[in-house]
Amino acid sequence: MRHFLAGIALAALVLAAPIAQAGGPIVIKFSHVVAENTPKGQAANKFKELVEQRLAGKVKVEVFPNSQLYGDNKVLEAMLLGDVHIAAPSLSKFSKFTKKLQIFDLPFLFKDIHAVDRFQKSPDGKKLLASMKKKGLLGLGYLHNGTKQLSASRPLRLPAEAKGLKFRIQSSDVLAAQFEAIHALPLKKPFSEVFTLLQTKAIDGQENTWSNIYSKKFFEVQEYITESNHGVIDYLIITSVEFWTELPDDIRGEVQKAMDEAVAFGNKVALDKAVADRKKILDSGRSKILELTAQERDAWVKAMKPVWKKFEKQIGKDLIEAAAKSNG
Ligand code: LMR
């Protein structure tokens, strides 16, 4: 792995294109995997709008949604090669570069998205933005999507009912351990393949936010959604250290400002979609939403929480305790 990353870093030095073609504007390519009508899709479009308004003629932003340019399994390497400049993969997709961000995958760590927000804004949360700097990547900020629900072809009220079922997961060892803890079979697959895997019944279920389940139509091919809120999908807005430091100071300042505003906008969209997209799914009648009793929920917590201990060394006990404190 180390050789692989070192190779990429070297290639990046050799191949990286100059950020501005002679006399032309600086082009910022922003690649992501979700639909445009999601918190991330809307934040990316807002970022483009603000940058092109304020830096007209100097900077152009090209947004590529729906995995059009890269899936999350390739985008960070492409970024180190200078082929893309900004992306916002979910926090579950950075483990090749840092183990610290795995904290966001620990099941039942945060009681809601507001607790996640408090942790991200704390000194410990902010420190994580720079946790991959030595590997050439820099976090510009966090962006919310929301808490995860469990969709399946069967009603899942208790963890034992998931035994033997195949679930698509993001590329995260914590999420793999979470499903293994309930004796299910996790499969790491790109986001772009989830709908087809569900439709063809190659897998039985998946975990995702209301906005992703709605915008990618997973609810049309899953009969049940357990409202488990067992984890979170949030994003790290990421760029390469090289691209970022090469930007002229005044432009970098404006770009960061536009990003901060786009994130604030996207976060509002996230709060709204967590309610509105759930309602659209409910109203469609295509999926049955299962609300858990306190007792049923406790059974999920009991089954999944031992995963924390497994990753405590990699993530850091202090960091986990700091995150837990954000529940207030
Ligand atoms: C997933 O792969 O399920 C999510 O990370 C997609 C996303 O970007 O929200």
Side-chain angles (χ1 to χ4, degrees):
M1 186 66 216
R2 193 172 282 164
H3 293 304
F4 174 63
L5 290 176
I8 286 190
L10 187 68
L13 284 178
V14 178
L15 296 176
I19 60 174
Q21 303 305 331
I26 293 168
V27 175
I28 300 181
K29 288 190 187 170
F30 187 155
S31 167
H32 68 83
V33 300
V34 292
E36 287 186 282
N37 63 342
T38 56
K40 182 159 59 183
Q42 303 235 356
N45 291 350
K46 176 60 88 183
F47 172 70
K48 173 180 168 70
E49 179 193 314
L50 293 175
V51 167
E52 292 187 349
Q53 216 172 61
R54 294 171 188 172
L55 295 166
K58 293 187 188 161
V59 180
K60 197 168 167 300
V61 178
E62 294 173 359
V63 179
F64 300 89
N66 292 311
S67 313
Q68 263 168 28
L69 194 58
Y70 293 106
D72 284 336
N73 51 343
K74 292 267 158 57
V75 73
L76 297 176
E77 279 126 31
M79 185 169 278
L80 290 172
L81 292 170
D83 290 339
V84 60
H85 311 101
I86 293 185
S90 111
L91 291 160
S92 314
K93 294 174 177 167
F94 288 92
S95 61
K96 269 191 201 169
F97 294 86
T98 174
K99 299 294 176 205
K100 294 272 169 206
L101 290 173
Q102 294 183 119
I103 190 161
F104 290 99
D105 284 339
L106 294 179
F108 297 105
L109 173 57
F110 298 103
K111 76 172 184 201
D112 55 27
I113 201 74
H114 304 291
V116 179
D117 193 76
R118 284 192 288 275
F119 175 63
Q120 290 171 348
K121 288 187 174 139
S122 73
D124 286 309
K126 283 191 189 150
K127 221 163 106 188
L128 291 176
L129 296 176
S131 59
M132 295 172 281
K133 230 172 150 181
K134 284 199 184 119
K135 306 238 167 93
L137 296 173
L138 181 67
L140 299 179
Y142 295 102
L143 172 68
H144 295 317
N145 184 334
T147 48
K148 287 183 290 190
Q149 321 303 337
L150 205 55
S151 77
S153 51
R154 287 199 217 159
L156 301 178
R157 291 199 165 277
L158 290 168
E161 289 158 349
K163 189 175 173 185
L165 299 189
K166 290 188 196 131
F167 287 90
R168 176 271 173 173
I169 56 165
Q170 304 175 81
S171 53
S172 152
D173 291 346
V174 177
L175 299 180
Q178 171 194 277
F179 280 100
E180 280 157 9
I182 57 170
H183 309 289
L185 306 168
L187 295 164
K188 291 179 182 169
K189 293 284 177 188
F191 185 59
S192 55
E193 291 177 21
V194 182
F195 179 85
T196 307
L197 289 167
L198 292 171
Q199 192 186 36
T200 57
K201 305 217 181 298
I203 56 172
D204 305 293
Q206 62 88 44
E207 51 167 18
N208 232 304
T209 61
W210 290 117
S211 88
N212 281 347
I213 294 173
Y214 178 71
S215 59
K216 288 294 176 189
K217 302 191 191 312
F218 301 161
F219 71 103
E220 293 186 2
V221 286
Q222 290 274 266
E223 274 174 78
Y224 300 95
I225 305 174
T226 303
E227 191 163 29
S228 50
N229 293 308
H230 61 282
V232 64
I233 290 188
D234 262 20
Y235 305 113
L236 188 64
I237 313 275
I238 194 95
T239 188
S240 81
V241 173
E242 189 178 353
F243 173 73
W244 197 241
T245 44
E246 267 185 25
L247 285 176
D249 289 350
D250 54 332
I251 296 221
R252 190 188 315 111
E254 277 298 331
V255 171
Q256 177 75 61
K257 199 162 152 260
M259 185 56 84
D260 293 344
E261 289 178 41
V263 162
F265 175 78
N267 284 345
K268 282 208 194 89
V269 175
L271 287 181
D272 169 54
K273 295 237 165 237
V275 178
D277 288 352
R278 178 191 185 280
K279 185 170 183 319
K280 285 183 197 154
I281 292 169
L282 187 68
D283 291 348
S284 77
R286 300 288 290 262
S287 271
K288 195 164 162 31
I289 297 178
L290 307 174
E291 291 175 33
L292 297 176
T293 65
Q295 234 178 0
E296 286 166 345
R297 192 177 152 81
D298 281 352
W300 289 93
V301 175
K302 206 164 153 232
M304 288 180 164
K305 220 168 150 180
V307 165
W308 293 24
K309 200 80 208 148
K310 242 181 131 175
F311 290 87
E312 194 179 87
K313 260 218 185 97
Q314 288 182 20
I315 297 171
K317 197 164 184 251
D318 291 354
L319 195 62
I320 298 176
E321 278 165 12
K325 273 199 196 123
S326 66
N327 288 319

